[in-house]
Amino acid sequence: MTKIAIVGGGASGSLCAIELLKNSPDVKVTIFEKNKILASILPTGGGRCNLSNFIVDNVELAKNYPRGEKFLYSVFKRFDVPQTLEYFKKLGIKTHKDASGKVYPASNSSKEVQEKLLGELRKYKNFKCIKKEITSAQELVEFDYIIVAGGSKGAYELALDFGHTITPLKSALCGYITEEKYPSGVSITIGDEPLLFTHKGISGPYVFKLSSLWAYKEYPFTLNVPLFNVCTLKDEIQKNSKKEFGTILGNFIPKSLVKEILEEEIYHKKCAEISNKIINEIKELKFTVLEPDKVGETVKAGGVDLKEINNNFQSKICNRLYFTGEILDVDGLCGGFNLQFAWSSGVLAARDILKRIS
Ligand SMILES: Cc1cc2nc3c(=O)[nH]c(=O)nc-3n(C[C@H](O)[C@H](O)[C@H](O)COP(=O)(O)OP(=O)(O)OC[C@H]3O[C@@H](n4cnc5c(N)ncnc54)[C@H](O)[C@@H]3O)c2cc1C
């Protein structure tokens, strides 16, 4: 029997265990999980589990990872989105995609995904899950292979103990704490991405994307957010020259925000009296971004240095050690990309181990 330890029973650790157990009766798999197994997927996709994104061109798919893009070409070549969805189907999890390509379980329930994966694991007598936090390599000496799948909350210490380097860790896919505050709960749309005002600053998909692309930007910095299309507003002003400016602007941005950014006098002016200077003064909201809002952080940029692992997720430092999922220096944008990487890395690491022991 080959004894395999998996540190972390989240998305990638669990799928790695399933792949090992399904394909070999000669492995004994132990997951060490400090919390509850697969609890990490329950809040994903707002409880709906946005488990992937239906992009079949792997180069296009990899573009959605601000960290790890090139490394992922070979990963997705061997375990891509259609293969992932087929894998889930075989585990009894049917999926559907929305208009933007985001993939969810047909039940729209993270709980169902958790239950089905857990149900699969429990089928195997040579599987066990131990509730324990692993902090040192020493605790795992009895195992033939070790997979560290600790996500972004906890196993970095262990990776360091194995002699690996952790690239600087930064919050990504999170809101921003800003100096300027606008009515909390109100949102505007930039392009097709919503930005939400919060009591701490700004959040929502537009900000999440920025926080990922700019994860390594120095704080504080200035962010100018366009409020409306200037040409379209000018057209409306011309068409409604006798109407109150504040009312017309309210057709472009929420009324509570109009009241916040316009002085009373300008609000009540007729459109014909509105100069280009006034429009230029209000066309953008300027924010001083103080820091990321760590409370709402979805993923971490940074992690185990990709230079220190091969494309089978095996450590170049320790022969029988693997890293999968978010603990690696790979992170994706919103839309199912982070879970997709967790699944792909978990399965491919398992396949490499199976090849080595067969
Ligand atoms: C609120 C929220 C919503 C999200 N929604 C989505 C979404 O819809 N789509 C998407 O693609 N991504 C989403 N993500 C990101 C996604 O959940 C993660 O990228 C993904 O779960 C990473 O998988 P993983 O297996 O690497 O880590 P995790 O799933 O986080 O699992 C790691 C596990 O390891 C355990 N652990 C850590 N250290 C130790 C240790 N030393 N010893 C023992 N156990 C340990 C943890 O308790 C955890 O259970 C979301 C994240 C959050 C926080």
Side-chain angles (χ1 to χ4, degrees):
M1 274 282 187
T2 306
K3 288 163 85 181
I4 303 174
I6 301 180
V7 179
S12 73
S14 299
L15 218 60
C16 182
I18 289 173
E19 179 66 8
L20 287 165
L21 292 158
K22 247 175 29 148
N23 292 293
S24 173
D26 300 323
V27 293
K28 208 172 155 191
V29 178
T30 306
I31 288 186
F32 291 97
E33 170 53 58
K34 63 176 180 174
N35 294 322
K36 272 194 169 162
I37 187 164
L38 280 163
S40 62
I41 64 161
L42 291 178
T44 61
R48 292 174 62 209
C49 190
N50 175 199
L51 57 86
S52 183
N53 197 299
F54 200 78
I55 300 179
V56 286
D57 178 333
N58 292 330
V59 173
E60 284 305 310
L61 178 63
K63 280 185 187 156
N64 291 282
Y65 295 80
R67 266 89 24 206
E69 181 179 348
K70 288 195 178 121
F71 174 82
L72 289 169
Y73 296 158
S74 117
V75 172
F76 292 140
K77 208 168 165 183
R78 288 170 294 145
F79 198 73
D80 61 9
V81 174
Q83 282 169 294
T84 306
L85 303 190
E86 188 56 32
Y87 200 98
F88 274 87
K89 200 170 152 193
K90 285 188 182 145
L91 292 171
I93 303 164
K94 287 192 190 133
T95 53
H96 72 105
K97 62 175 193 296
D98 71 8
S100 71
K102 288 181 188 163
V103 179
Y104 297 89
S107 60
N108 283 318
S109 157
S110 308
K111 187 98 186 103
E112 190 223 0
V113 179
Q114 184 202 39
E115 280 168 2
K116 289 268 162 66
L117 297 183
L118 258 179
E120 179 69 20
L121 285 170
R122 287 188 182 130
K123 282 198 326 214
Y124 301 97
K125 286 201 181 70
N126 43 346
F127 166 72
K128 83 177 155 188
C129 181
I130 297 177
K131 189 169 164 65
K132 184 178 180 194
E133 177 168 12
I134 302 290
T135 54
S136 73
Q138 188 58 31
E139 294 169 79
L140 302 167
V141 282
E142 64 173 291
F143 292 92
D144 301 308
Y145 290 93
I146 297 158
I147 298 121
V148 182
S152 62
K153 294 178 185 76
Y156 297 117
E157 207 183 316
L158 180 60
L160 290 171
D161 199 36
F162 275 113
H164 277 273
T165 311
I166 307 294
T167 62
L169 299 170
K170 301 283 175 187
S171 300
L173 300 185
C174 60
Y176 282 145
I177 299 177
T178 59
E179 210 164 88
E180 303 78 4
K181 307 278 191 285
Y182 289 94
S184 175
V186 171
S187 69
I188 56 173
T189 304
I190 302 126
D192 55 3
E193 285 175 316
L195 176 151
L196 177 74
F197 300 112
T198 68
H199 65 287
K200 292 185 199 167
I202 49 176
S203 185
Y206 179 80
V207 181
F208 273 37
K209 189 169 179 179
L210 281 188
S211 72
S212 174
L213 299 175
W214 294 351
Y216 288 91
K217 205 171 166 73
E218 294 259 326
Y219 293 89
F221 63 86
T222 304
L223 171 67
N224 292 315
V225 173
L227 274 182
F228 45 78
N229 181 306
V230 174
C231 294
T232 321
L233 178 67
K234 282 184 180 170
D235 283 352
E236 282 304 296
I237 286 174
Q238 264 193 348
K239 280 188 219 153
N240 298 282
S241 57
K242 289 186 185 149
K243 287 199 179 148
E244 202 176 47
F245 178 55
T247 313
I248 296 302
L249 189 58
N251 296 334
F252 288 77
I253 55 174
K255 293 188 176 49
S256 54
L257 186 61
V258 175
K259 294 219 165 99
E260 196 80 18
I261 63 167
L262 286 188
E263 285 166 21
E264 184 86 16
E265 189 205 326
I266 296 177
Y267 187 102
H268 295 295
K269 271 191 177 182
K270 298 269 172 287
C271 279
E273 298 170 75
I274 297 301
S275 64
N276 283 343
K277 185 169 172 274
I278 293 177
I279 295 175
N280 282 336
E281 277 167 7
I282 59 158
K283 70 179 181 189
E284 290 177 337
L285 281 186
K286 184 179 160 203
F287 290 97
T288 309
V289 180
L290 302 173
E291 54 180 309
D293 182 5
K294 293 199 172 85
V295 178
E297 168 191 300
T298 311
V299 292
K300 273 256 190 298
V304 172
D305 197 332
L306 295 180
K307 288 193 213 92
E308 296 172 351
I309 63 152
N310 69 18
N311 64 8
N312 287 317
F313 301 94
Q314 189 196 338
S315 161
K316 291 179 185 169
I317 294 173
C318 302
N319 185 23
R320 292 170 185 229
L321 176 67
Y322 289 74
F323 291 96
T324 61
E326 212 189 306
I327 192 170
L328 288 162
D329 184 13
V330 174
D331 61 284
L333 298 173
C334 274
F337 302 105
N338 287 296
L339 281 173
Q340 178 59 56
F341 176 63
W343 315 129
S344 293
S345 56
V347 167
L348 290 176
R351 287 184 183 168
D352 195 58
I353 294 174
L354 289 166
K355 206 157 80 190
R356 288 173 77 185
I357 61 180
S358 68

